[in-house]
Amino acid sequence: GCAVKFIGNNAFYSAKFTELDLSVCPNLSYIGDFAFRISPLQTLQLDNPALSYIGNNAFYASTTQTLNLNKRY
């Protein structure tokens, strides 16, 4: 399984991947500010029971087209 619990500020700034499935990280609880800033990310799966915080402008200037959440934030 995935051991990621925390994604820091600007963690994937200008990253080059287009899809990311974080639903395999059940202990992910925090996504920092501008975490996916200016990324070509098109699809993001975030079905994480522990996720309690998505930072300010986490997807600022990204090309995210599909964001799957199964709870309210």
Side-chain angles (χ1 to χ4, degrees), residues 32-66:
D33 299 342
F34 297 98
F36 297 96
R37 183 172 108 183
I38 311 175
S39 74
L41 187 63
Q42 293 179 3
T43 302
L44 179 59
Q45 301 286 339
L46 281 175
D47 181 11
N48 305 78
L51 188 59
S52 61
Y53 180 82
I54 296 176
N56 294 319
N57 298 298
F59 302 97
Y60 179 81
S62 73
T63 58
T64 305
Q65 296 174 3
T66 304

